Amino acid sequence: MSDSAHALPDSDRVLPEHPPVTDWVHDFDHTDPRWIEDPFPIWDELRATCPVVHTKRFQGCYLPTSYQAVKQIAHDTEHFSSRRIIVRDERPEIQKNAAPPITSDPPEHKSAKQLLLPPFTPDAMKKLEPRVRAICNELIDEFISDGQCDAAARYTKHVPVRTICHMLGIPEKDGDLFINWIHMILELSIKDEGMLKQAVQEMTAYFAAHIEERKQRPSDDLITTLMRAKGKDGQPLDDTHVLGSLRLLLIAGIDTTWSAIGASLWHLAKTPADRERLVSEPELMPTAVEELLRAYSPVTMAREVMKETTIAGCPVKPGNMVLLSFPAANRDPAVFPDAGKIVLDRKSNPHAAFGLGIHRCIGSNLARMEMTVALQEWLKRIPNFWLDPAGKVTWSEGTVRGPRQLPILFEKAT
Amino acid sequence: MSATLKVHVDPDKCQGHARCKALAPELFDLDEYGNAHEHGDGRVPAGLEDKAWLAKANCPEIAIDVIEE
């Protein structure tokens, strides 16, 4: 197993230190160890103070904390651009076709998104489901006899990696490469721009080879679909667009779902009542998945302020970034009663885990299917599990939040 | 005697979250891009009223109207 070689080191060892935060309202920092470990009380405190707070860190950045403020920004593509979608210490140069459509604004956004939507509909996901179920069981087979595992390294990470490889038509064994690139792009690059460049170069070279191969021998995979797609001018997409979208599918398709499945297992491991309820009432799975997505939404996006405007009564000025915290919005008690409580059969749950507005996550149906299948197969074979008191749960930092080490002890189903 | 319900999806608001299709598959259809529209004329068959309200309550884009006729 090569997991240990790729295990993500503790964030405080790899990242240069930012000064510790003492005043969250005027100086927030989403890379602060307190935020990484337990952001929920911070968001509650900030939300009670102001719907939009600001920090001078990251060359200036706002944080909307209420559902309403997050929604208003997500819907406002006139004042807020998606050309930069990660809040970093530096502002890397804008690349054309960085990762369309997530980095696209209107009017280019719509056509770039539409060509990616058909392969990700709920019906398309149903066809993929048997392969995902098999992947889950192959993974569980590897550690079921051990009575313990790091569920993040042995299970939750590999489900989305192998699934997206399967969809793209690339070898599932290349997954470790992707995990490393994603770590460089989403985490290390916040404070080291060189990491971003290196990872993007390596990914581009990798996919360029796969594109060339398909020019000779087309396949029925997602890479071929993208190569055959036509842009809004009726012409095939240029290679930089295809490469950008492939980068997006890989980056967005892995870390995020890894985190969502991991946070769900973490919750169930430490909450026996919910675990037992989900085992004895499997029909609750659809609402449980939505509730776990709401309560532990992994993805925080970003926008760049292009024109001065007002959000929830607060002035917002160009030159600043916006940390668009869908996770914080989903904990807003104004929209979700008992927002801090996990209610597996929550009836009204219009959560924003997959974003709001035109940038709604393309892979939301894929993520839901993977989460559902990964939890179902786990609970079938490992209905009784708990956090290993001798181990330590660690969380990723930055744009995507989820457990990166999840030591679990378990009993096999009898 | 309860009123007849009709559902309607505002196509300008729908972003394809597909929550309505998951909660009330009898009342909504998805197009090739995964965006939702009401099934047929949107009339809600007797017995499915709760599903109509549930779909509305779970739409993150507030794209669903439930109309009492």
Side-chain angles (χ1 to χ4, degrees):
Chain A
M1 218 34 230
S2 60
D3 282 321
S4 54
H6 290 276
L8 304 178
D10 283 344
S11 50
D12 50 0
R13 274 195 281 122
V14 282
L15 295 167
E17 286 294 317
H18 282 189
V21 174
T22 53
D23 176 0
W24 285 95
V25 175
H26 301 98
D27 187 37
F28 76 84
D29 186 332
H30 62 296
T31 68
D32 189 89
R34 253 186 73 197
W35 178 302
I36 294 165
E37 183 67 27
D38 187 15
F40 309 110
I42 298 171
W43 298 338
D44 290 343
E45 177 199 328
L46 294 180
R47 198 183 299 112
T49 311
C50 182
V52 182
V53 294
H54 183 264
T55 185
K56 291 198 178 72
R57 299 180 189 220
F58 313 104
Q59 302 182 25
C61 182
Y62 297 100
L63 171 71
T65 58
S66 70
Y67 186 95
Q68 211 48 45
V70 167
K71 180 174 174 172
Q72 195 184 339
I73 293 169
H75 280 156
D76 181 350
T77 53
E78 186 195 341
H79 298 91
F80 301 93
S81 169
S82 285
R83 61 184 198 165
R84 291 192 172 97
I85 50 160
I86 297 182
V87 172
R88 297 186 168 96
D89 281 355
E90 304 294 324
R91 301 270 171 91
E93 210 178 305
I94 306 291
Q95 304 285 331
K96 186 177 180 286
N97 285 333
I102 203 171
T103 52
S104 316
D105 290 316
E108 286 78 20
H109 170 270
K110 190 170 180 179
S111 60
K113 181 158 186 175
Q114 274 191 334
L115 57 93
L116 284 175
L117 286 171
F120 290 94
T121 59
D123 280 349
M125 295 307 108
K126 273 188 202 131
K127 292 186 192 122
L128 189 62
E129 195 181 302
R131 177 65 204 133
V132 177
R133 225 171 264 287
I135 288 170
C136 292
N137 280 293
E138 287 160 23
L139 291 166
I140 295 172
D141 286 341
E142 290 177 16
F143 57 77
I144 185 81
S145 312
D146 300 346
Q148 59 175 350
C149 73
D150 178 345
R154 303 291 299 273
Y155 189 63
T156 64
K157 171 161 68 176
H158 299 288
V159 175
V161 172
R162 293 191 190 179
T163 304
I164 200 81
C165 288
H166 180 78
M167 288 183 83
L168 289 170
I170 53 189
E172 290 185 12
K173 68 173 171 49
D174 287 354
D176 281 348
L177 279 173
F178 307 152
I179 287 165
N180 198 34
W181 289 330
I182 289 163
H183 180 49
M184 289 163 80
I185 291 173
L186 293 184
E187 297 195 70
L188 302 183
S189 79
I190 292 177
K191 294 165 185 170
D192 181 355
E193 203 188 325
M195 286 288 171
L196 175 66
K197 285 186 181 153
Q198 190 193 329
V200 169
Q201 274 170 9
E202 289 177 15
M203 285 175 89
T204 302
Y206 176 89
F207 279 122
H210 277 284
I211 288 175
E212 281 311 310
E213 199 181 304
R214 281 159 185 76
K215 282 180 182 165
Q216 311 303 321
R217 281 186 304 278
S219 171
D220 62 350
D221 57 32
L222 206 44
I223 296 181
T224 310
T225 304
L226 267 177
M227 290 169 64
R228 285 183 180 155
K230 302 253 192 312
K232 65 172 187 255
D233 53 2
Q235 297 297 310
L237 305 176
D238 61 40
D239 280 2
T240 64
H241 187 133
V242 175
L243 283 165
S245 285
L246 286 173
R247 276 200 298 273
L248 167 62
L249 292 178
L250 199 69
I251 297 170
I254 293 178
D255 225 36
T256 49
T257 316
W258 171 12
S259 298
I261 301 169
S264 302
L265 285 180
W266 169 78
H267 173 79
L268 296 174
K270 71 180 182 66
T271 319
D274 283 350
R275 187 180 67 242
E276 285 156 19
R277 190 167 179 215
L278 207 46
V279 169
S280 61
E281 298 173 64
E283 67 278 9
L284 283 183
M285 190 57 85
T287 50
V289 163
E290 299 303 333
E291 177 67 342
L292 292 163
L293 280 166
R294 178 193 71 81
Y296 304 113
S297 312
V299 181
T300 295
M301 289 303 301
R303 296 288 187 270
E304 187 172 357
V305 188
M306 305 308 282
K307 290 186 211 164
E308 185 161 346
T309 187
T310 305
I311 295 296
C314 308
V316 166
K317 293 187 167 36
N320 288 279
M321 293 294 293
V322 176
L323 191 66
L324 198 56
S325 179
F326 297 114
N330 285 340
R331 293 284 187 137
D332 184 347
V335 178
F336 306 98
D338 287 325
K341 216 173 134 196
I342 313 304
V343 184
L344 294 183
D345 57 355
R346 191 180 283 272
K347 295 279 175 290
S348 171
N349 192 358
H351 67 76
F354 294 109
L356 295 167
I358 63 167
H359 287 283
R360 188 270 304 170
C361 171
I362 287 173
S364 60
N365 300 311
L366 172 62
R368 285 191 167 100
M369 183 271 282
E370 288 182 79
M371 267 181 88
T372 302
V373 170
L375 293 176
Q376 283 171 339
E377 297 309 303
W378 177 286
L379 290 174
K380 242 183 253 170
R381 298 182 66 184
I382 310 177
N384 195 13
F385 59 102
W386 56 96
L387 295 177
D388 181 350
K392 186 174 171 359
V393 177
T394 61
W395 297 83
S396 58
E397 77 162 60
T399 293
V400 180
R401 182 174 192 271
R404 291 298 173 261
Q405 239 173 247
L406 184 56
I408 276 178
L409 304 177
F410 58 82
E411 285 167 3
K412 274 193 281 185
T414 45
Chain B
M1 181 73 193
S2 58
T4 309
L5 299 185
K6 271 182 108 168
V7 288
H8 173 65
V9 181
D10 182 339
D12 294 329
K13 289 186 182 165
C14 176
Q15 298 292 346
H17 292 260
R19 299 286 304 279
C20 55
K21 182 67 182 172
L23 289 162
E26 306 89 341
L27 303 180
F28 300 93
D29 293 318
L30 302 180
D31 67 14
E32 63 170 312
Y33 300 110
N35 292 323
H37 51 92
E38 60 274 16
H39 180 74
D41 64 359
R43 208 170 291 275
V44 178
L48 295 180
E49 293 84 357
D50 286 353
K51 286 194 174 186
W53 293 112
L54 204 56
K56 179 184 166 76
N58 282 277
C59 176
E61 305 292 348
I62 317 182
I64 298 173
D65 270 334
V66 179
I67 307 130
E68 299 185 50
E69 289 194 323

